[in-house]
Amino acid sequence: MTDSDMRQQDMACLFVIFGGTGDLTHRKLLPALYRLEKNGLLPEQFAIVTVGRRDKREAEYRQDAEQSVSRAINKNGSHPVDRQILDILLSRIYYTQIDFDADENCYQPLIEKLEILDKQYDTGGNRLYFLAVAPDYFGVLSNRLQKCGLLDNARGWQRLMIEKPFGSNLPTARELNSIITKSLPESHIFRIDHYLGKEMIQNILALRFGNSLFEPLWNHHYIDNIQITSYETLGVESRGGYYEHSGIRRDMLQNHLLQMLSLIAMEPPVDLDQESIRDEKVKVLRSLRAIDEQSSTRTIVRGQYGPGQVNGTAVKGYREEERVSPESETDTFIALKAHVDNFRWAGVPFYIRAGKRMDHQSTRIVIEFKKLPGIEFFSDFKNQNPNLLVVEIQPNEGLFFQINAKRPGNTFAMERINLNFSQSAQVQSNSPEAYERLILEAMRDNQSLFTRWDELECSWQFVDSIENILSARPVDFPNYAAGSTGPEAAKRLTKADGREWWEL
């Protein structure tokens, strides 16, 4: 048996999706599985079992799946679906109806179906469970699966993939973790932050540790500040009920933004195995300076969008959205200044901002390098911009390094030049989607792209400290119009330090 055959056999499993009729499954998971099938990355011993509360026949569900995959793959009309690949995928999809809240006896049809499919596909009892359900069901489902003997790892392996949000604060996260770890060991739990599956997020490690140009400069001696931005033009859409409980601090800061910060700021790991990388990320999160009441007025800006225009179309304010209180004080924007108190980053501010209903969509990291100390002595070099390294994560993937050079001509004049790499242009449609990669790595038992419990615990401690301070502070919402650049106070956050947000 070849190494490739052995890897395929190790990945053999039933992929069981709870929430099979939901939006996440049809918009992200099924298209991701199609791409994996198309690229020949799914083992032959593999089938998909979707579980939902709706009464559907298998043929009906496969019809729905076909439409979802076709719509996602060919959304702009440029990438038609490969009919042969789609038919292979659909033949592997099965559906079972279950009321998630019901007792273990109601799970018997699922147990029987899994046992039949185990034999049919020769999976050896391996199961990968994906909880694409509301957070209230995370603990319920892990408990039911454990009581039904579906998580005992007695025959084959069982793993659990859990969507965010993992808790709503530190106490609820600890409670949920306690419930789940009673059912499965930590090594079999895959907590998803889909940003970690994005190509350019993973490229940060290659950028930092694969280039002698950057790592020697990656410290407070050469870097002036780091800016992390995640802007969306979308509002809360139909998620008003969820957003009222989460706000942008829980929806973005606690997971995506702090994950990006930890990857940018971490020390070189001992090696690139999953635990070494996550150990270094935890050290960063533990080094985050606590924000107290006194400093919070200078380091945190909150916001909530009001009515406005996005791309020339009038849109509602947050308080007018469906299932949102007309007096809501929920944040849809946050900007803050953080510090990592260790030797590498002493004195370097990390400016972080995220917002909904902004004037553009962009997720990027900007590393601003310090100016040369002698630059002001040369008149022709005065007022030059600092060097910037920009990592673009979405909607485009790539990076560029901004340097200063002489402008062509007979006079000595300086201009900025971008040394540009566009991942999106170079690999086009071959760049894997986040869920595509996350599913594959969970099957491979690679946890480096998933969040370990102590990472979550540290990030919740930081966010809860902010939450406790801001919950007692009065707000004057809405304080920015939809389609704008956000609250004016966010601009003053950097100006107070003699810096500016980079709008590139």
Side-chain angles (χ1 to χ4, degrees):
M1 185 180 289
T2 66
D3 289 345
S4 177
D5 291 336
M6 291 180 67
R7 283 195 296 271
Q8 289 281 302
Q9 193 173 53
D10 291 341
M11 290 168 58
C13 67
L14 298 180
F15 185 52
V16 185
I17 305 173
F18 286 90
T21 58
D23 179 66
L24 176 62
T25 299
H26 285 273
R27 197 165 46 87
K28 294 291 185 180
L29 303 186
L30 294 176
L33 290 164
Y34 166 85
R35 293 187 187 96
L36 290 173
E37 181 67 55
K38 184 173 175 61
N39 291 323
L41 294 172
L42 293 181
E44 290 183 14
Q45 298 94 344
F46 179 85
I48 304 151
V49 180
T50 56
V51 185
R53 289 180 292 184
R54 297 181 189 174
D55 183 15
K56 282 183 178 288
R57 297 184 307 278
E58 220 145 66
E60 183 184 1
Y61 186 87
R62 287 178 176 178
Q63 218 170 30
D64 293 343
E66 178 181 358
Q67 293 174 1
S68 299
V69 171
S70 299
R71 186 164 49 245
I73 301 300
N74 197 27
K75 56 187 173 185
N76 58 7
S78 59
H79 297 101
V81 171
D82 185 320
R83 188 68 233 184
Q84 184 179 359
I85 297 297
L86 181 56
D87 287 342
I88 293 171
L89 180 71
L90 294 174
S91 71
R92 297 193 193 202
I93 296 177
Y94 302 85
Y95 180 77
T96 299
Q97 181 192 12
I98 286 181
D99 182 356
F100 302 153
D101 283 322
D103 61 33
E104 307 85 83
N105 295 327
C106 294
Y107 282 66
Q108 195 58 37
L110 175 62
I111 295 171
E112 293 172 0
K113 177 166 282 189
L114 295 180
E115 289 175 350
I116 292 169
L117 293 175
D118 270 336
K119 293 175 183 175
Q120 181 180 334
Y121 287 90
D122 190 24
T123 63
N126 298 337
R127 277 83 175 271
L128 179 58
Y129 299 101
F130 193 114
L131 304 190
V133 296
D136 293 345
Y137 288 107
F138 292 166
V140 172
L141 282 169
S142 63
N143 180 267
R144 296 290 192 278
L145 291 172
Q146 189 268 331
K147 286 186 175 180
C148 292
L150 295 173
L151 294 176
D152 56 16
N153 289 281
R155 187 173 68 89
W157 51 256
Q158 285 88 53
R159 299 170 191 152
L160 195 63
M161 296 181 73
I162 306 173
E163 267 291 337
K164 78 172 185 72
F166 196 89
S168 57
N169 52 29
L170 183 55
T172 58
R174 281 176 172 160
E175 182 182 359
L176 177 57
N177 193 61
S178 175
I179 293 169
I180 292 174
T181 50
K182 286 176 183 174
S183 304
L184 271 178
E186 173 71 25
S187 59
H188 288 244
I189 300 169
F190 292 72
R191 301 177 190 86
I192 295 171
D193 182 339
H194 71 267
Y195 265 48
L196 295 181
K198 291 183 178 294
E199 188 73 20
M200 287 310 300
I201 289 292
Q202 294 177 64
N203 224 327
I204 290 172
L205 296 179
L207 177 72
R208 287 192 54 188
F209 306 128
N211 295 285
S212 59
L213 172 65
F214 293 122
E215 184 54 28
L217 309 181
W218 215 260
N219 54 61
H220 67 273
H221 294 296
Y222 297 99
I223 291 179
D224 180 80
N225 71 87
I226 293 176
Q227 300 180 13
I228 302 173
T229 298
S230 184
Y231 276 179
E232 295 179 275
T233 55
L234 293 174
V236 297
E237 308 301 313
S238 60
R239 300 196 308 154
Y242 159 75
Y243 219 80
E244 278 290 85
H245 293 288
S246 68
I248 200 136
R249 294 194 292 273
R250 296 186 182 100
D251 188 51
M252 289 295 297
L253 176 61
Q254 182 271 327
N255 38 75
H256 304 330
L257 298 174
L258 291 183
Q259 284 291 328
M260 286 190 276
L261 183 150
S262 65
L263 283 169
I264 283 291
M266 64 185 256
E267 295 295 320
V270 174
D271 54 44
L272 292 180
D273 75 82
Q274 57 195 34
E275 294 309 316
S276 296
I277 292 171
R278 299 200 293 182
D279 285 345
E280 297 305 330
K281 287 164 63 183
V282 168
K283 290 178 186 176
V284 172
L285 295 172
R286 285 178 177 158
S287 301
L288 280 172
R289 183 186 302 174
I291 296 177
D292 56 30
E293 177 68 45
Q294 186 175 3
S295 65
S296 66
T297 56
R298 303 186 306 275
T299 55
I300 306 175
V301 174
R302 306 167 64 187
Q304 185 190 95
Y305 67 83
Q309 286 201 343
V310 176
N311 297 325
T313 302
V315 294
K316 296 182 288 189
Y318 176 75
R319 291 178 175 179
E320 299 164 331
E321 300 279 13
E322 184 181 345
R323 291 185 292 172
V324 170
S325 165
E327 289 86 35
S328 175
E329 296 189 354
T330 298
D331 301 346
T332 61
F333 178 98
I334 189 167
L336 62 91
K337 179 169 70 171
H339 288 89
V340 177
D341 285 336
N342 61 19
F343 186 79
R344 181 183 289 264
W345 298 111
V348 177
F350 288 74
Y351 298 106
I352 303 171
R353 59 181 177 171
K356 301 189 79 66
R357 282 292 188 219
M358 307 302 291
D359 62 336
H360 67 285
Q361 180 190 3
S362 175
T363 299
R364 61 168 36 137
I365 302 168
V366 180
I367 295 97
E368 178 181 334
F369 291 89
K370 291 182 177 179
K371 291 183 178 181
L372 290 170
I375 197 168
E376 297 300 328
F377 293 122
F378 305 105
S379 59
D380 291 314
F381 283 69
K382 283 184 178 180
N383 302 317
Q384 290 303 311
N385 285 292
N387 299 139
L388 303 178
L389 177 62
V390 182
V391 181
E392 295 187 301
I393 297 157
Q394 66 178 22
N396 298 314
E397 294 180 330
L399 60 91
F400 60 88
F401 191 30
Q402 198 170 86
I403 63 172
N404 298 309
K406 179 187 174 297
R407 183 182 301 150
N410 295 322
T411 59
F412 192 93
M414 302 285 285
E415 67 178 355
R416 288 186 292 176
I417 294 175
N418 288 342
L419 307 179
N420 196 354
F421 164 64
S422 175
Q423 175 105 1
S424 303
Q426 179 160 321
V427 300
Q428 297 179 355
S429 62
N430 294 324
S431 181
E433 295 278 342
Y435 281 100
E436 184 180 338
R437 189 186 301 276
L438 293 171
I439 292 168
L440 188 62
E441 295 307 325
M443 291 169 64
R444 290 171 172 167
D445 199 22
N446 175 16
Q447 290 210 344
S448 61
L449 304 186
F450 299 86
T451 310
R452 201 168 66 187
W453 164 244
D454 50 357
E455 288 182 72
L456 270 172
E457 189 172 34
C458 291
S459 63
W460 271 126
Q461 285 173 340
F462 181 72
V463 171
D464 278 4
S465 68
I466 296 174
E467 196 77 27
N468 294 336
I469 292 168
L470 296 185
S471 61
R473 185 185 296 177
V475 296
D476 184 20
F477 285 166
N479 60 352
Y480 73 98
S484 71
T485 57
E488 284 298 313
K491 299 173 185 175
R492 296 195 290 271
L493 192 68
T494 50
K495 282 184 179 178
D497 297 335
R499 299 182 175 94
E500 61 179 310
W501 292 105
W502 289 104
E503 310 292 355
L504 302 167

